[in-house]
Amino acid sequence: MRPFRFGAVAGYAPTAEAWTGLARRAEQLGYSTLLVPDTLRTFSPFTAAAVAAQATTTLRVGTFVASAPYRSPAAIAWETSTLHTLTGGRFELGIGAGRPGSEADSAALGLEFGTPGSRIARVAETLDLVKDVPILIAASGTKLLRLAAERADIVALGVPVTTTEDQLGAKLDELYELAGDRFSELEITMNLAAVGDGSLPPWLAAQLGSDPNDVVAAGGTGILTGGTSEMIDTLRRRRDKLGISYISVNAQFMEQFAPVVKELAGT
């Protein structure tokens, strides 16, 4: 049974002071990592991670996740090696084959998005070049899950917020079959789009593309509701049942989730 650890996912702040302040606050609240998405609507993740690491002392930083189509494998390895050294080993490389809908970002960068097979091959080629850092692979389909089972330290389940616990269990059963004896070496993570007790903020619907209350009503695991003790019980049950011990949360809910982090981190 792995101990719990927690990450905050953030990709933008209006000023440098706000960004470094967010990183320091995450560290103060007991979050293990600050994770930066890779989109054209957020900061460049490697640069943002470097600045966050410079502003903190123990906080780990990572990409969540670097999109393989956006950079050559050698470029990602170069960025990773630099950050590994300059953060004192606090960098985690998260990488994936490109999230749904990211073809437009590739086009804006003047790059070919590629087929699913070519993008997965690009992830594998990147892993061949990256040394000495923890590797997180975001995966959902069988081919990328197989690569994660073979090569990752951390596996992020790339599933919709509407995914139920039974569906998560089925996905993890597949990963277990693919990983075999190596499954016990994998740290399993999932992301929470929102947390909290009571009504969810209206702006969340635009981020999710669906009514968050409908997600909760349907048993979607991407939103965690309830009081502190109820959320703690849910996460403990999921770890016991599914092995999910590394939880990331939308940084806009970082303060609300802090009591859970304080209670569970490291336990």
Side-chain angles (χ1 to χ4, degrees):
M1 189 73 68
R2 286 180 177 270
F4 280 107
R5 69 176 181 132
F6 297 89
V9 180
Y12 183 77
T15 64
E17 291 77 12
W19 179 250
T20 55
L22 185 153
R24 285 191 290 268
R25 184 57 177 160
E27 184 175 63
Q28 292 167 358
L29 293 174
Y31 287 87
S32 170
T33 47
L34 180 63
L35 301 164
V36 189
D38 192 11
T39 81
L40 294 187
R41 293 165 298 285
T42 53
F43 286 144
S44 170
F46 293 99
T47 302
V51 172
Q54 180 65 27
T56 56
T57 55
T58 61
L59 187 72
R60 302 181 69 80
V61 294
T63 51
F64 196 69
V65 295
S67 182
Y70 296 175
R71 305 166 190 83
S72 70
I76 293 178
W78 181 25
E79 296 278 9
T80 298
S81 176
T82 299
L83 277 169
H84 173 67
T85 300
L86 296 184
T87 65
R90 288 188 283 142
F91 179 68
E92 299 177 2
L93 174 66
I95 188 167
R99 72 190 189 287
S102 57
E103 295 93 334
D105 281 2
S106 283
L109 291 167
L111 300 169
E112 182 180 353
F113 191 63
T115 65
S118 68
R119 287 184 276 122
I120 292 171
R122 199 175 179 99
V123 173
E125 184 181 350
T126 302
L127 299 182
D128 290 338
L129 299 176
V130 170
K131 309 296 181 186
D132 302 324
V133 302
I135 300 294
L136 178 153
I137 296 179
S140 179
T142 299
K143 290 183 179 179
L144 201 50
L145 277 173
R146 179 177 290 111
L147 182 62
E150 295 171 351
R151 308 284 297 275
D153 301 293
I154 309 158
V155 180
L157 299 176
V159 295
V161 292
T162 53
T163 303
T164 66
E165 282 197 11
D166 287 344
Q167 291 168 329
L168 277 179
K171 188 63 64 178
L172 285 163
D173 285 345
E174 183 180 7
L175 178 62
Y176 178 83
E177 292 298 323
L178 293 168
D181 293 342
R182 195 170 183 272
F183 186 79
S184 62
E185 300 175 22
L186 301 175
E187 184 176 37
I188 310 299
T189 182
M190 70 172 293
N191 183 55
L192 299 173
V195 301
D197 195 8
S199 61
L200 295 163
W203 54 258
L204 189 59
Q207 281 195 358
L208 299 179
S210 58
D211 187 330
N213 295 303
D214 291 343
V215 173
V216 173
T221 53
I223 297 177
L224 183 63
T225 59
T228 297
S229 61
E230 186 177 353
M231 289 192 285
I232 286 171
D233 289 344
T234 298
L235 293 179
R236 281 176 170 157
R237 186 187 71 249
R238 289 179 184 171
R239 184 178 64 174
D240 292 345
K241 179 181 177 182
L242 304 172
I244 300 170
S245 60
Y246 182 13
I247 312 298
S248 61
V249 65
N250 183 336
Q252 293 174 93
F253 296 90
M254 190 171 70
E255 297 285 346
Q256 289 173 257
F257 200 51
V260 175
V261 174
K262 182 179 180 180
E263 180 69 23
L264 290 183
T267 66

